[in-house]
Structure formats: structure tokens, C-alpha cells
Amino acid sequence: MTIDIGRFSEAPSSDVEETGADSGQEQKPPELVYGSAEEFLHEQLLPTYVRDVDGRAAKWCLEWYFHPEAVSRVEALWRAWEHLRLDGATGISVWFKDHADHHMSVLLDPRGPFYKCDMQKHRDPEHMEPQKAPNGWFPDVRVR
């Protein structure tokens, strides 16, 4: 039986121009495999990162896109995957160890971003409403 582990095993596509450092031409970045974080979630992440989501040991919200933290973490997972898939040696290991295992543990944690949701119903997360610090405590350090 062969298990499809996604597109990590593919070599970079041949439409990436190989140019020498002396040629003065810029190398075109590799094309993305997925056009969005949502496509990545449905086509790559969830089919390969399979867990028993029972609501007690792991939670997920079917309307995950209403959770800003989840959107940000899925976006981070997608971008890291697109970069690391090009490393045919250790890319898949690095992606799982440093990215998927970390972010998915947070996302699936029963006390994580989906803590109020259950498998049948989305419930809006409660957002922290911090007060603004007094003027001058955190000056804008951007150069103007």
C-alpha cells in the first residue's frame, strides 16, 4: 500500500529558471502549489494531518474561518509548507516538527481557539479588550 504524503516529494517544477550568479538575471520564484490557505487546508493539511476530533481531547470548528487565530495559523502553515516542500532532503520533517505539530497542537487543543465550539455549532470567540496604555508609554519607533 502506498500512502500519498502530498507534494513534498515533488522536485521543484522546471518552470523555475536556473540562472548563474554571473548572468545578472533574477531567478523566478517557484509557483505556489495552492492558491490560498483555505485550499491548502482542504487539499493538503487535513487529508494528511488526521486526528480523532472528539471534542474532549481535540476540538475543531467547522467554521474555522471565523476564528482569527485559526486563520493566521493555517496561513502560516501554508506558507511554511510552500517553502519547505522545495527541500527534498528534510523539508517534510522540518515542516511537521517545527510547523504542523506545533500549530495543530494549539489549534486542536480543547482550550485553544475553538474552545467554545462543538462539532455541530460555531460560537464566536471572546476577544480580549485591553485598555490603551497612557500616552508616551509606547512611543512609535518607526523612522519617519
Side-chain angles (χ1 to χ4, degrees), residues 55 59-70 110 112-127:
K59 290 193 89 161
W60 185 261
C61 179
L62 295 176
E63 294 180 299
W64 63 275
Y65 40 83
F66 285 129
H67 299 267
E69 179 183 354
F114 307 130
Y115 73 98
K116 290 183 78 174
C117 300
D118 58 43
M119 291 302 290
Q120 287 77 36
K121 184 166 175 56
H122 163 77
R123 292 180 180 88
D124 286 333
E126 293 178 21
H127 295 277

Side-chain angles (χ1 to χ4, degrees), residues 69-85:
E69 179 183 354
V71 170
S72 187
R73 287 181 182 276
V74 171
E75 177 89 11
L77 285 165
W78 168 50
R79 290 177 182 274
W81 185 91
E82 289 284 1
H83 175 75
L84 290 168
R85 73 182 172 85

Side-chain angles (χ1 to χ4, degrees), residues 24-37:
Q25 294 179 328
E26 289 188 31
Q27 188 174 354
K28 286 181 10 183
E31 286 190 30
L32 297 173
V33 173
Y34 300 105
S36 69

Side-chain angles (χ1 to χ4, degrees), residues 2-82:
T2 303
I3 298 174
D4 179 10
I5 59 168
R7 300 189 185 203
F8 276 104
S9 57
E10 290 181 7
S13 62
S14 60
D15 57 342
V16 176
E17 273 184 33
E18 296 293 332
T19 59
D22 299 331
S23 70
Q25 294 179 328
E26 289 188 31
Q27 188 174 354
K28 286 181 10 183
E31 286 190 30
L32 297 173
V33 173
Y34 300 105
S36 69
E38 181 182 31
E39 182 183 7
F40 168 76
L41 176 86
H42 290 282
E43 300 295 323
Q44 177 67 38
L45 182 61
L46 295 183
T48 59
Y49 205 94
V50 179
R51 296 293 185 274
D52 184 16
V53 180
D54 62 4
R56 292 183 311 274
K59 290 193 89 161
W60 185 261
C61 179
L62 295 176
E63 294 180 299
W64 63 275
Y65 40 83
F66 285 129
H67 299 267
E69 179 183 354
V71 170
S72 187
R73 287 181 182 276
V74 171
E75 177 89 11
L77 285 165
W78 168 50
R79 290 177 182 274
W81 185 91
E82 289 284 1

